[in-house]
Amino acid sequence: MSAKIGINEKSTVHQPSITETPKAIAGVSTYLDDRLGAGNFLKRNLRKIFPDHWSFLLGEIALYSFIILLLTGTFLTFWFKPSMAHVVYDGVYEPLKGVGMSEAYASSLHISLEVRGGLLMRQMHHWAALLFVAGMMVHMLRVFFTGAYRKPRELNWLIGILLLTLALVEGLTGYSLPDDLLSGAGLRITEGVMISLPLVGSYITFFLFGGEYPGTDIISRFFTLHVLLIPGILLALISAHMILMWVQKHTQMPGKDRKNTNVVGAPFYPAFMAKAGAYFLFTFAVTAGLGTFAQINPIWLFGPYTPADISAGSQPDFYMGFLEGSLRLMPAWEINFLGYTLPLSVIIPALLPLGIIMTGLALYPFLEQWVTGDRREHHVCDRPRNNPHRTSIGMAAISFYGLLWLLGANDEISAKFQISLFVTTIVGRVLVFVLPVVTYIVTYSICIGLQRKDAEVIGHGVESGVIKRLPSGEYIEIHVPPADDIADHMLGKRPVAMLPGAGDGEAEPEGVPPKALRGPIGKLRAKMSRAYGGEKVAIDDGHGHHDDHGEHAAIGAGDGGHSNDKK
Amino acid sequence: MNRITARRRHPLARYAVLLFALALLGGVYTVAAPAGQSADAAIASGKVDDVAAGKKLFEQSCASCHGLNLEGTKTGPTLVGVGAAAVDFQVSSGRMPAAQPGAQAPRKQKYPWVNETTIRQLAAYVQSKGGGPAVPSDDAVDPAKGNSAKGGELFRANCIQCHNFVGAGGALTEGKYAPDLNSSTPKQIYEAMVTGPQAMPPFNDSTITPEQKRDMIAYIVEVRGQKDPGGFGLGRIGPVTEGLALWVVGISLLVLAAIWITAKRRQKKS
């Protein structure tokens, strides 16, 4: 396997044991080898090396919450009745006694208030669902900001985007199942978005709901989607994601002896397995802890769904919050044309931010390749500061998403902090355009500043805290070279690739540009490549002297702390 | 069995609810004259002293904004016809006398001179000038006598679009807001419905009958007194605080755990 991709793995933990197999494995593998011929497979794979940076564990939050979701979800299906048949409630909850409701809602109440452990399971299921999506998000951010999606991992990145999208749909369908008044509000918005689609809207809506909204089919249909179809696809995609990760091996942060051709870290067995096991237990503990101590989605307080009622403070779960925010931000625009109405006030906020973020994420690896012309394989990650444009684009996207998300709760913010609702909307409408730009600029300056700091540490060393008095009476602080591992980490920096023939730095290339860079698009591409690629601040290994060439190419503030330097 | 169910079935629970309601009500002595809608009625029921005392109080504390004859000024609306219920609601919740102008007079700490007697006197005075809805009787607002399930349906149909599922409150336009219903007494809830303070629409007896109002009071009082069976209620405002808890508690703990797990090894090595 390693031969195929040409990567050697190296363990730094058990130095002497790299070649010899631990007894525990040897026993099992011999046993299996004798019977299945699988011993070699085990031997090879149990020695698989995993990197040891903390951020590499974030994806596991999602993996483990998925397992918890399967377990708790199965429990819930034992009592849940996915039916919209009308019943009159006769359970233990006094304030709903005699109230008409769907069987789905009645059975969810039964699970919550009468089934032993039912409320705990429901709450854990819901918390795990939130954790599942949040885990994917933080994992994705780690992969994005370190450039771990680059060749050869673009496919796995796409699988990841698909997983996130499906998780949102899975969350939406699950959220609707109890058929309470809050989830009904979400369902109504979903229907509103669907029906607003030009031409096909009403057909799709009637198809999904089996007639006029809300009909009598939607809960059982969502149930099938929620417990069968989507989890099945999720499971398949997660497996593919893990297999690809296993085959392609991990990326790693730059550092001592870390090359494109190796992986430094701990072997799967025993070190990583122990860590992964512990981390599963942590995830389980957090889910169980939240499920026990923090009430989530108290459906008995919401009441049964009827399309006529709606509550103040109806919000979706957090991962849909940015859509809610964009919907609230949008002015009431619509186009009337030949008797047809195009409700821009619904289509734009429902599809545009989602489109920008999801499409942007999916295309980013390919756009980056197109701009940088970088088709090499990358197994060593970038520190975020060392690819300042990527980091700034990512932060700008986060600010855009975050603002919309925040505004999804603008009524709660308005009510709790006594800010006028109109003010939040108007400020939001301005900020949604301004904030990403400001974030971009600020992030870029910070990245360049950090790069300078690194260059300074490498060039001049770090402050030792020792102050010396020179015979002349002047005080200086002694600088010492940085520790080896820190220096190696910093020196792992590589310039961002640039299209050959795009010029260097700010300068346009001389002579005739290559074919791909002619014409308006080609020129734009070359320009973007010059801006995106190249070395903004050179990090030099030599002692004492700043690389002036690198220095003047830098953009941003500060003069690199020359004043401290009185050697 | 489930905890809240068990507690609700406890034989003492009924008395607890009753006691709770009585404790809320007990302190408040009311002008129990539902028929008395005019000055004549007030005089007839022997409240003439109240009216006279109320006039004095009104001139001291209210007339600057509402005018000497309740006709209203630039800083306050007319009070002709608002009725004793409006005065009782506004003054007993601390809203009146208003302190500073704003989008909405908030519930606040009452002035030292405000007590049952002065409220009754003020109410009698305003009632004597043009009538209006009277203060409800104790019986009309007794939560123990209402049907909370029926009240819940009415509450969801009429109130939650402003006040939220559980009466946690919500924002309205132009800087206004629907307050939470956690500190309203049963009487204030009733009065709010009949008088429709500020941005709230009035729900008169033909829209919602007095019995239905009592059902709704029963629902509001029961639900807000309920212990959350699932742990901390997180303010009972739904997914916003849940999402916050997820990131602030859940994800933070797991990130710390990841850092801790991976940091162990490095320490050993060095």
Side-chain angles (χ1 to χ4, degrees):
Chain A
M1 192 187 302
S2 40
K4 206 160 78 196
I5 309 190
I7 295 182
N8 309 309
E9 294 174 320
K10 179 177 172 200
S11 162
T12 54
V13 198
H14 297 270
Q15 294 296 359
S17 67
I18 295 173
T19 43
E20 68 198 50
T21 316
K23 254 201 198 118
I25 299 180
V28 176
S29 63
T30 322
Y31 180 87
L32 289 177
D33 202 18
D34 293 348
R35 284 153 187 87
L36 301 170
N40 251 333
F41 175 82
L42 272 186
K43 243 183 253 170
R44 241 185 309 126
N45 283 300
L46 286 174
R47 304 299 302 158
K48 179 121 205 124
I49 301 297
F50 280 73
D52 55 4
H53 195 265
W54 64 270
S55 65
F56 284 75
L57 286 178
L58 294 177
E60 294 180 24
I61 299 177
L63 182 64
Y64 302 144
S65 345
F66 186 68
I67 295 171
I68 298 172
L69 281 169
L70 291 181
L71 296 175
T72 51
T74 307
F75 180 95
L76 296 177
T77 59
F78 293 160
W79 287 275
F80 180 69
K81 297 199 181 71
S83 148
M84 290 169 94
H86 189 85
V87 295
V88 173
Y89 182 71
D90 190 29
V92 295
Y93 188 65
E94 209 70 36
L96 283 175
K97 237 185 190 138
V99 172
M101 56 182 63
S102 69
E103 241 188 316
Y105 183 60
S107 62
S108 307
L109 288 174
H110 178 70
I111 294 174
S112 310
L113 302 173
E114 287 163 82
V115 173
R116 188 184 296 269
L119 184 57
L120 179 65
M121 287 296 157
R122 247 200 72 224
Q123 299 205 133
M124 280 179 70
H125 192 71
H126 205 128
W127 282 117
L130 299 191
L131 215 52
F132 181 51
V133 182
M136 282 186 176
M137 287 177 171
V138 287
H139 171 61
M140 183 188 77
L141 291 177
R142 191 273 293 176
V143 170
F144 179 84
F145 283 115
T146 60
Y149 56 77
R150 289 174 296 178
K151 191 179 170 187
R153 295 181 179 78
E154 304 102 315
L155 272 188
N156 228 10
W157 171 258
L158 286 181
I159 292 180
I161 305 291
L162 218 55
L163 277 169
L164 182 60
T165 316
L166 276 175
L168 298 187
V169 183
E170 177 73 350
L172 182 82
T173 50
Y175 177 80
S176 303
L177 287 183
D179 203 23
D180 58 282
L181 192 48
L182 181 61
S183 75
L187 196 62
R188 186 56 157 184
I189 294 181
T190 314
E191 187 242 9
V193 169
M194 263 181 208
I195 210 164
S196 76
L197 297 174
L199 304 177
V200 293
S202 36
Y203 295 99
I204 293 187
T205 318
F206 269 67
F207 177 69
L208 180 73
F209 288 88
E212 197 71 57
Y213 177 88
T216 51
D217 292 338
I218 191 67
I219 295 292
S220 50
R221 290 183 179 181
F222 269 16
F223 183 68
T224 311
L225 293 179
H226 184 77
V227 305
L228 188 69
L229 187 65
I230 304 174
I233 304 176
L234 279 175
L235 199 60
L237 285 176
I238 289 175
S239 312
H241 199 69
M242 305 303 293
I243 291 172
L244 266 179
M245 179 273 289
W246 196 281
V247 171
Q248 292 178 333
K249 307 196 170 53
H250 273 86
T251 53
Q252 57 187 338
M253 294 307 280
K256 188 168 166 53
D257 294 335
R258 295 178 184 201
K259 297 192 278 276
N260 242 335
T261 49
N262 70 359
V263 184
V264 178
F268 181 73
Y269 182 91
F272 190 77
M273 214 161 84
K275 283 182 191 180
Y279 204 56
F280 173 76
L281 294 179
F282 270 115
T283 313
F284 189 83
V286 166
T287 314
L290 283 169
T292 310
F293 295 113
Q295 178 162 291
I296 189 164
N297 206 21
I299 50 166
W300 57 93
L301 294 176
F302 301 154
Y305 180 53
T306 70
D309 299 350
I310 178 84
S311 171
S314 291
Q315 254 91 13
D317 272 347
F318 88 84
Y319 44 86
M320 292 286 175
F322 77 112
L323 293 177
E324 175 83 20
S326 68
L327 203 59
R328 290 178 184 207
L329 213 54
M330 184 70 194
W333 291 346
E334 61 178 36
I335 295 174
N336 284 300
F337 181 70
L338 297 178
Y340 292 98
T341 302
L342 193 63
L344 296 179
S345 52
V346 179
I347 299 181
I348 293 181
L351 301 183
L352 196 69
L354 189 71
I356 291 177
I357 288 173
M358 287 305 192
T359 321
L361 281 171
L363 292 184
Y364 200 84
F366 307 99
L367 288 175
E368 187 177 62
Q369 268 179 24
W370 186 72
V371 166
T372 59
D374 185 357
R375 309 232 182 282
R376 290 168 300 167
E377 290 205 350
H378 290 277
H379 301 285
V380 177
C381 293
D382 287 330
R383 297 171 79 202
R385 67 188 63 173
N386 289 340
N387 192 331
H389 280 289
R390 177 203 292 147
T391 304
S392 308
I393 290 171
M395 290 305 293
I398 289 180
S399 70
F400 174 71
Y401 179 97
L403 184 76
L404 291 180
W405 183 13
L406 190 72
L407 288 171
N410 69 345
D411 56 338
E412 300 295 357
I413 293 169
S414 163
K416 297 289 172 279
F417 300 103
Q418 319 273 308
I419 307 164
S420 161
L421 198 63
F422 284 171
V423 170
T424 64
T425 308
I426 289 164
V427 170
R429 281 179 187 164
V430 176
L431 279 187
V432 79
F433 296 104
V434 174
L435 193 66
V437 177
V438 173
T439 312
Y440 188 98
I441 295 169
V442 170
T443 312
Y444 193 86
S445 318
I446 293 175
C447 285
I448 296 298
L450 288 172
Q451 284 197 30
R452 280 166 193 255
K453 190 97 203 303
D454 288 353
E456 193 197 321
V457 167
I458 296 298
H460 300 285
V462 289
E463 291 166 8
S464 62
V466 178
I467 310 282
K468 225 181 186 177
R469 192 175 165 190
L470 298 184
S472 62
E474 187 188 7
Y475 289 96
I476 59 161
E477 182 169 5
I478 309 265
H479 282 63
V480 295
D484 274 354
D485 54 341
I486 293 176
D488 284 331
H489 189 46
M490 288 175 175
L491 288 168
K493 180 183 179 197
R494 297 287 169 269
V496 182
M498 217 192 284
L499 280 173
D504 71 291
E506 296 103 64
E508 296 244 1
E510 284 152 30
V512 186
K515 219 180 194 167
L517 301 185
R518 287 179 220 157
I521 295 191
K523 285 221 180 79
L524 178 72
R525 188 175 168 197
K527 207 166 173 193
M528 281 162 70
S529 192
R530 275 197 302 279
Y532 194 92
E535 186 77 303
K536 311 291 179 210
V537 179
I539 194 159
D540 65 321
D541 200 7
H543 289 279
H545 293 289
H546 254 291
D547 183 352
D548 277 337
H549 175 69
E551 190 65 19
H552 85 97
I555 309 166
D559 58 347
H562 279 278
S563 49
N564 274 347
D565 181 45
K566 296 235 167 97
K567 259 184 218 170
Chain B
M1 200 205 289
N2 194 290
R3 241 188 313 139
I4 52 162
T5 353
R7 283 173 64 250
R8 193 172 309 104
R9 288 210 180 142
H10 197 279
L12 287 180
R14 259 176 200 287
Y15 298 102
V17 171
L18 209 67
L19 269 179
F20 177 54
L22 285 176
L24 284 175
L25 290 168
V28 190
Y29 179 74
T30 52
V31 208
Q37 302 244 326
S38 65
D40 293 345
I43 293 162
S45 57
K47 299 271 161 37
V48 190
D49 290 351
D50 281 356
V51 172
K55 184 173 178 0
K56 225 190 218 142
L57 282 169
F58 192 88
E59 278 161 6
Q60 280 164 10
S61 319
C62 320
S64 58
C65 295
H66 291 291
L68 276 171
N69 291 308
L70 287 68
E71 74 278 15
T73 67
K74 266 192 217 121
T75 48
T78 174
L79 297 184
V80 175
V82 300
V87 176
D88 189 65
F89 172 79
Q90 297 282 348
V91 182
S92 73
S93 69
R95 287 182 167 79
M96 290 295 141
Q100 66 275 88
Q104 184 170 319
R107 176 180 265 277
K108 63 179 189 299
Q109 191 74 38
K110 291 191 275 273
Y111 291 103
W113 61 265
V114 175
N115 54 39
E116 299 135 42
T117 318
T118 50
I119 294 175
R120 191 186 68 233
Q121 290 164 345
L122 274 170
Y125 173 65
V126 173
Q127 184 82 351
S128 74
K129 296 259 185 176
V135 175
S137 67
D138 286 355
D139 185 63
V141 301
D142 186 351
K145 293 193 173 126
N147 177 332
S148 62
K150 283 208 184 104
E153 284 186 290
L154 288 161
F155 184 68
R156 283 191 289 279
N158 293 294
C159 318
I160 63 173
Q161 69 267 41
C162 298
H163 286 288
N164 160 304
F165 302 105
V166 289
L172 301 173
T173 51
E174 288 165 355
K176 300 197 175 124
Y177 59 93
D180 72 62
L181 304 182
N182 294 336
S183 28
S184 322
T185 62
K187 203 171 171 205
Q188 287 167 351
I189 299 174
Y190 192 101
E191 290 164 346
M193 284 192 262
V194 287
T195 64
Q198 288 293 292
M200 174 163 160
F203 297 85
N204 60 34
D205 288 354
S206 51
T207 348
I208 295 179
T209 65
E211 293 80 63
Q212 290 177 327
K213 289 196 173 90
R214 190 162 61 186
D215 292 345
M216 292 163 81
I217 292 170
Y219 181 78
I220 296 170
V221 171
E222 173 160 359
V223 167
R224 76 183 178 194
Q226 205 176 73
K227 194 164 176 291
D228 286 313
F232 294 116
L234 301 177
R236 286 189 174 179
I237 60 166
V240 173
T241 40
E242 291 161 9
L244 209 62
L246 176 88
W247 284 88
V248 173
V249 179
I251 291 290
S252 308
L253 280 180
L254 284 173
V255 166
L256 287 178
I259 293 174
W260 185 64
I261 285 185
T262 46
K264 278 276 151 182
R265 199 179 67 82
R266 205 170 292 145
Q267 271 173 6
K268 246 190 267 165
K269 218 172 70 173
S270 62

